[in-house]
Amino acid sequence: MTAPNNRERILSRLIDDEMKESFINYSMSVIVSRALPDVRDGLKPVHRRVLYAMNELGLVPGRPHKKSATVVGDVLGKYHPHGDSSVYDALVRMVQDFSLRYPLVDGQGNFGSVEGDPAAAYRYTEARLTPVAMEALADIDKNTVDFAPNFDDRLQEPKVLPSAIPNLIVNGSSGIAVGMATNIPPHNMREVVSAIVEMIDNPDMTAMDLRRHVKGPDFPTGGYIYGREGIRDYQETGRGRIIMRARAVIEEKESTNKSQIVITEIPYQVNSANLLLQIRDQVRESRLQGISDLRNESDRDGMRIVIELKRDAIPRVVLNQLYKHTQMQTSFGVIMLALVPDTVTGQLVPKVMALREILQHFITHRHTVIVRRTQFDLDKALEREHILEGLKIAVDNIDEVIKLIRKAEDTPQASAQLQRRFKLSERQAEAILNMRLAKLTGLEIEKLDAELKEVQAQIADLRDILASRPRRMSILKEELERVAAKHGDDRRTEITSDQGEFSIEDLIAEEDMVITVSHSGYIKRTSVTTYKKQRRGGRGLNGQGLKDEDFVEHLFIGSTHDYIMFFTDDGRCFWLKVHEIPVAGRASKGKPVINLINVTADTKVSAMVPVREFTATQSLLFVTKRGTVKKTALTLYSNPRNTGIKAIKIEEGDELIDVQITTGTNDIVLATRHGLSIRFHEQDVREMGRDTTGVKGIELRDDDRVIGMVVIKRDATLLVVTEKGMGKCSEISEYRVQRRGGKGIFTLKVTPKTGDAVSIKEVLPDDELMLITKQGVVIRMPVKGIRVSGRNTQGVKLVNLDERDLVQDVARVVPEDDEPGIDEGIEEPAGVAPEGDDTEE
């Protein structure tokens, strides 16, 4: 016997061809059989096998839990030829309510936590299916889906589940295959079902129509989603980037006069224990300032991470730093990739799909399930009708049937004779032979007739369903709406901003604030409602607790959602949001400006301007104490650096005193300390760059200087206030328009009684004034108590001052509807001229 020639069995092949084919086979195996979910039921093979095995074991709601080891062993032995860890990990994830929006497995024992604690071994935990999982398995025994042989051809397993819930979208999925990955966020069931119902009624609905129903992802851990651009992207293209943020609130501790930040919800898939370590490390490395303590107070009632702040910390600033430097803000990269059955071959192929296409595949799948279920029920009903018709024949001829059976030698002969005599089928004859004598009573005969009629009516209904697509789609909608009503819940994740980037304003109520800056550089904000309105001539309230040598230099009214642009005396520009300025009581001195913006201790803030948006249609108008004016586009100041940007070039000996926003069509009024003013058109000042000096606005004497600027934007009056508490209003029409650079005209008669002018404002009768003195006294009064008089007059007493006190600044306040009325009980102070007796010259 000759030895076989081994060379004859070897097939020569290029190694690159072998590698290519082998790698493609491996890749497709990973893609189809392991890593990617099916678009129809939203499950990977391991999850599908776990749910099916648990259903076969009878681990359904209402029955006792069983050891997870039982489930793992059953899945491994029957359906999943891989390691036990892959099966148990899949089981654990389906239990975790912080991983799945609607968990599919009800666990008993330690299945891990959001803090990153691992689940206990499967010999310690127990599991059963949830009601939501039963919806995914409903009607699986009615030939609704195809089955395939298991790995050893002993058993059959489903290729896909009937899935009465849109599981892929409501629970999401993530997985890494070979050369591709999927990352689908979870959504709210009520929103998704509402969208599907709308798609059934309106097949031509657009992605925009779809967004009216599906607002965006709904993560099981709650939190915030900032920006709708990423939502729009993934819903229209299948890819997008979602910005997630933790839900945090600032709590004030009255006992210690400190603040603390409390985190109650964190972004999806963020480990809370790692988040705490990250915050701790950032504090140690000095990237996070103002944090004194950090602790985790979470319990079974919910998450509560407490971050205690130092006494001088600004809570909003610290919160912004936390969002910037830690996983309190993170992103979710959406890739809507799933396996889709090919319309020709039926093979599963991976595909990136928009939301509408995924929902359409689900509708198609459910329609197929309804058709197959209805056909299954029809076949069963037809079979039952066939049996009942045979039984009815036997009952109607019972005497002859009994006689025939008694004469037969055995059962096969009796069956054959029944079939031949009454033209019955073998199944009918068998049913007659197995019929109990109790069925021959009158009541049972009536029941037999009623059942036959009921089955025949059912058959007619089932045939009608199979013949009518609208009827099937109506059933699909009804079943979805029932599922949503039974298992749906409210949205947990809040979508808070229309912008691509998040904004802290979404957490802050909008309200007007009084912003004050003292001469030595202390800043604070206080609610406008803190100051009670009084009649003119009142004594006022202490508005700021200051040192003897300090005094308030600037007072401003702005919304918490505004930007505050700070212009320093050396011509630089900085900006903050109003809510980033520390809140302080009426008698508090506030915080140093140098703690908020990057300036030296000897820098003074000359002007503050509130800005909601940096639009191209607006400009900034600058004025210096020596009468120089300059106009620059507002958009040039929209992105200042930490060290500030150059706003205006200041000549030696000059100083910036005011900056205001203009629209290009306004008239400008400049007022001086000696009571002079000039009005000119804004067009007389051409637009310049940031690093320029400007042009002459008014010709000044050597001992005079500009005290303020008014940009006329409405039909109002001009209010002039002096340092000794006198003030008066004059019509704007009394100020004739001149060319810029002139010496101006009188706006106030300056006398030793009045002192020099300190402020000029544009006011309306319904406006209110906020006056503040160098000693920090604040008084709030209505403008309507000040008589309108000519330009060359002294005016009336507005406030009683101490002998050494002087008015420092004035702001205009627009009162809110719910503000308290003027206190009618306040008496006119001595030395104040009563209303109607204003002194004029």
Side-chain angles (χ1 to χ4, degrees):
M1 184 175 182
T2 60
N5 188 353
N6 292 331
R7 290 185 179 180
E8 295 178 357
R9 301 180 184 178
I10 299 175
L11 297 176
S12 61
R13 192 176 187 191
L14 293 176
I15 190 169
D16 57 345
D17 292 339
E18 179 65 26
M19 289 292 292
K20 184 184 296 183
E21 182 177 330
S22 298
F23 186 76
I24 289 175
N25 292 337
Y26 165 72
S27 300
M28 291 307 299
S29 175
V30 172
I31 290 169
V32 176
S33 303
R34 190 182 307 176
L36 299 183
D38 192 301
V39 71
R40 296 168 292 180
D41 62 4
L43 298 173
K44 300 177 186 179
V46 63
H47 300 98
R48 187 179 302 115
R49 288 163 176 168
V50 168
L51 296 179
Y52 181 69
M54 293 181 70
N55 188 54
E56 292 294 295
L57 287 170
L59 300 180
V60 297
R63 293 188 181 179
H65 296 76
K66 282 191 177 180
K67 287 287 186 182
S68 300
T70 303
V71 178
V72 174
D74 205 59
V75 172
L76 290 177
K78 293 180 177 179
Y79 309 113
H80 199 67
H82 299 282
D84 59 345
S85 61
S86 63
V87 176
Y88 188 53
D89 288 346
L91 174 66
V92 167
R93 187 176 185 275
M94 289 191 289
V95 173
Q96 295 172 339
D97 57 3
F98 53 87
S99 294
L100 264 64
R101 184 64 177 82
Y102 302 93
L104 301 175
V105 177
D106 177 18
Q108 191 165 274
N110 174 22
F111 280 91
S113 71
V114 73
E115 296 182 356
D117 299 322
Y122 52 63
R123 62 182 178 273
Y124 298 118
T125 61
E126 298 178 340
R128 66 181 178 189
L129 296 172
T130 64
V132 176
M134 297 307 297
E135 300 289 354
L137 291 158
D139 301 323
I140 196 172
D141 56 347
K142 292 187 176 183
N143 193 33
T144 51
V145 293
D146 292 333
F147 280 70
N150 69 336
F151 59 87
D152 60 2
D153 294 334
R154 288 187 302 112
L155 303 169
Q156 296 284 313
E157 63 173 314
K159 292 182 177 181
V160 67
L161 296 186
S163 191
I165 60 171
N167 184 64
L168 181 64
I169 293 298
V170 300
N171 272 329
S173 183
S174 63
I176 301 175
V178 179
M180 60 187 68
T182 185
N183 202 26
I184 303 174
H187 293 76
N188 184 272
M189 185 178 293
R190 290 176 181 170
E191 294 181 0
V192 174
V193 168
S194 175
I196 295 174
V197 170
E198 176 70 16
M199 283 184 65
I200 294 172
D201 293 334
N202 179 20
D204 298 327
M205 69 183 298
T206 63
M208 185 178 296
D209 297 330
L210 195 63
R211 282 196 295 276
R212 291 203 304 266
H213 300 275
V214 183
K215 308 299 182 183
D218 188 21
F219 298 110
T221 54
Y224 293 100
I225 293 176
Y226 283 83
R228 290 178 171 82
E229 183 176 355
I231 297 174
R232 182 175 62 253
D233 289 344
Y234 86 78
Q235 289 189 356
E236 293 181 356
T237 67
R239 295 178 182 269
R241 181 172 176 267
I242 305 297
I243 303 297
M244 303 178 294
R245 232 183 181 195
R247 185 183 295 271
V249 295
I250 296 174
E251 297 180 355
E252 304 290 339
K253 299 175 66 177
E254 296 182 0
S255 58
T256 60
N257 197 25
K258 289 184 179 180
S259 301
Q260 61 184 22
I261 297 173
V262 179
I263 304 169
T264 56
E265 296 173 4
I266 60 175
Y268 183 52
Q269 295 177 335
V270 169
N271 185 313
S272 62
N274 290 343
L275 176 62
L276 289 170
L277 293 176
Q278 189 180 32
I279 295 173
R280 183 199 65 184
D281 294 340
Q282 295 284 344
V283 172
R284 288 180 176 177
E285 295 173 5
S286 299
R287 289 197 182 96
L288 291 177
Q289 304 289 336
I291 296 176
S292 62
D293 192 18
L294 174 67
R295 61 181 180 274
N296 190 354
E297 297 180 356
S298 304
D299 54 23
R300 65 179 59 189
D301 295 327
M303 177 177 293
R304 182 178 170 86
I305 298 174
V306 180
I307 303 171
E308 289 198 5
L309 306 182
K310 296 178 181 178
R311 195 179 301 274
D312 60 345
I314 303 171
R316 296 297 178 192
V317 174
V318 176
L319 186 56
N320 277 336
Q321 291 176 348
L322 287 167
Y323 286 136
K324 181 178 181 180
H325 297 294
T326 72
Q327 284 189 308
M328 282 181 62
Q329 176 191 305
T330 185
S331 63
F332 188 98
V334 181
I335 307 175
M336 307 271 275
L337 175 68
L339 297 174
V340 179
D342 187 88
T343 55
V344 178
T345 64
Q347 298 295 320
L348 295 176
V349 293
K351 185 179 180 182
V352 176
M353 294 165 285
L355 178 61
R356 187 182 184 282
E357 187 176 358
I358 290 179
L359 297 182
Q360 187 59 57
H361 279 294
F362 174 77
I363 292 173
T364 303
H365 173 60
R366 282 302 298 169
H367 178 261
T368 302
V369 168
I370 291 173
V371 170
R372 295 181 61 162
R373 181 186 64 195
T374 305
Q375 186 63 55
F376 179 86
D377 291 338
L378 177 61
D379 294 340
K380 289 289 185 181
L382 289 171
E383 182 180 350
R384 182 59 180 166
E385 180 192 36
H386 184 64
I387 298 299
L388 292 173
E389 287 175 344
L391 293 177
K392 191 174 188 307
I393 291 174
V395 170
D396 292 341
N397 301 274
I398 189 63
D399 294 335
E400 187 176 354
V401 168
I402 293 175
K403 184 177 180 181
L404 188 150
I405 294 173
R406 291 184 64 183
K407 288 183 178 180
E409 295 181 357
D410 53 21
T411 301
Q413 185 182 15
S415 175
Q417 292 177 357
L418 286 173
Q419 295 177 47
R420 184 171 54 254
R421 171 66 183 82
F422 298 105
K423 298 182 180 180
L424 301 176
S425 67
E426 184 178 351
R427 294 288 305 278
Q428 289 175 320
E430 182 181 355
I432 293 171
L433 292 173
N434 293 330
M435 184 175 63
R436 297 168 55 198
L437 292 177
K439 293 290 184 180
L440 299 178
T441 63
L443 183 61
E444 290 295 328
I445 293 174
E446 291 180 4
K447 287 183 179 180
L448 184 66
D449 291 337
E451 184 181 358
L452 179 59
K453 291 179 181 179
E454 182 181 348
V455 170
Q456 290 173 342
Q458 182 185 7
I459 291 171
D461 184 60
L462 293 172
R463 283 175 172 164
D464 181 67
I465 292 174
L466 291 174
S468 173
R469 179 179 174 84
R471 179 89 186 275
R472 297 193 296 272
M473 301 309 288
S474 177
I475 293 173
L476 197 161
K477 290 194 300 182
E478 291 173 1
E479 292 179 349
L480 280 174
E481 289 170 344
R482 176 189 60 79
V483 168
K486 184 177 180 181
H487 305 291
D489 55 5
D490 295 332
R491 167 173 280 277
R492 297 180 187 175
T493 302
E494 186 177 348
I495 304 173
T496 58
S497 177
D498 287 328
Q499 301 176 1
E501 294 186 357
F502 60 84
S503 57
I504 192 66
E505 285 77 13
D506 296 314
L507 309 176
I508 300 173
E510 184 167 3
E511 60 175 324
D512 286 338
M513 308 297 292
V514 177
I515 299 110
T516 58
V517 181
S518 74
H519 179 72
S520 61
Y522 283 86
I523 187 171
K524 70 169 183 176
R525 63 182 171 103
T526 310
S527 176
V528 170
T529 56
T530 302
Y531 299 97
K532 185 178 180 181
K533 289 185 284 190
Q534 301 180 20
R535 287 184 182 273
R536 67 173 178 86
R539 187 62 183 88
L541 299 170
N542 282 329
Q544 188 160 357
L546 300 171
K547 301 176 182 178
D548 293 339
E549 66 275 11
D550 197 8
F551 58 89
V552 171
E553 193 165 2
H554 300 282
L555 180 147
F556 196 79
I557 309 298
S559 166
T560 49
H561 287 200
D562 289 347
Y563 294 93
I564 293 292
M565 300 179 68
F566 293 88
F567 296 91
T568 58
D569 56 353
D570 60 357
R572 285 185 296 161
C573 172
F574 303 81
W575 59 250
L576 292 173
K577 287 298 187 94
V578 170
H579 60 73
E580 295 176 335
I581 299 172
V583 178
R586 196 179 63 231
S588 173
K589 67 180 181 180
K591 304 292 182 183
V593 173
I594 59 175
N595 286 0
L596 304 180
I597 58 177
N598 190 11
V599 296
T600 58
D602 58 347
T603 302
K604 294 182 180 179
V605 175
S606 299
M608 296 177 287
V609 177
V611 180
R612 180 59 61 94
E613 295 179 349
F614 292 86
T615 61
T617 59
Q618 294 180 315
S619 301
L620 288 177
L621 191 68
F622 299 78
V623 62
T624 70
K625 72 176 183 179
R626 293 177 63 175
T628 298
V629 293
K630 189 189 86 161
K631 185 169 68 173
T632 308
L634 178 61
T635 53
L636 296 180
Y637 301 88
S638 61
N639 191 26
R641 297 180 290 272
N642 290 335
T643 56
I645 59 175
K646 195 70 174 178
I648 182 175
K649 189 174 183 179
I650 302 295
E651 294 182 347
E652 185 176 355
D654 203 356
E655 180 182 328
L656 180 66
I657 64 167
D658 196 10
V659 183
Q660 294 194 39
I661 291 180
T662 64
T663 59
T665 60
N666 306 113
D667 282 356
I668 310 300
V669 177
L670 303 181
T672 74
R673 181 173 60 180
H674 291 173
L676 296 175
S677 66
I678 187 172
R679 177 181 178 181
F680 56 87
H681 291 309
E682 180 186 339
Q683 290 87 341
D684 292 347
V685 184
R686 63 182 177 86
E687 197 167 278
M688 304 179 181
R690 287 192 292 108
D691 195 11
T692 55
T693 302
V695 295
K696 182 178 290 187
I698 186 171
E699 182 74 29
L700 299 175
R701 298 175 184 174
D702 292 340
D703 59 342
D704 201 2
R705 67 178 181 86
V706 174
I707 53 124
M709 171 177 62
V710 172
V711 177
I712 300 174
K713 300 178 181 178
R714 55 186 181 168
D715 185 16
T717 58
L718 289 182
L719 168 74
V720 182
V721 179
T722 71
E723 61 185 356
K724 292 190 177 180
M726 301 289 288
K728 60 106 183 169
C729 293
S730 301
E731 297 289 349
I732 292 179
S733 59
E734 294 195 21
Y735 296 78
R736 71 177 187 273
V737 178
Q738 301 174 257
R739 295 295 298 272
R740 68 168 179 82
K743 293 184 178 181
I745 59 177
F746 283 108
T747 186
L748 174 78
K749 186 173 182 180
V750 176
T751 66
K753 177 182 178 181
T754 63
D756 290 335
V758 295
S759 180
I760 182 170
K761 300 290 179 186
E762 182 188 37
V763 294
L764 291 174
D766 292 336
D767 291 344
E768 295 176 356
L769 298 179
M770 190 83 75
L771 276 70
I772 193 160
T773 72
K774 289 187 176 183
Q775 294 183 0
V777 176
V778 175
I779 183 172
R780 185 177 179 181
M781 67 181 65
V783 171
K784 63 183 177 182
I786 306 173
R787 174 181 294 179
V788 177
S789 55
R791 287 186 296 103
N792 195 17
T793 57
Q794 295 183 19
V796 297
K797 177 76 75 173
L798 301 182
V799 59
N800 266 351
L801 300 174
D802 291 340
E803 184 178 350
R804 293 177 295 176
D805 200 5
L806 296 173
V807 173
Q808 175 64 30
D809 205 353
V810 180
R812 182 178 55 83
V813 184
V814 180
E816 299 178 4
D817 293 337
D818 57 352
E819 287 275 317
I822 298 174
D823 188 351
E824 300 293 343
I826 297 180
E827 299 180 357
E828 291 285 354
V832 176
E835 295 187 26
D837 292 337
D838 298 345
T839 302
E840 296 186 12
E841 292 188 18

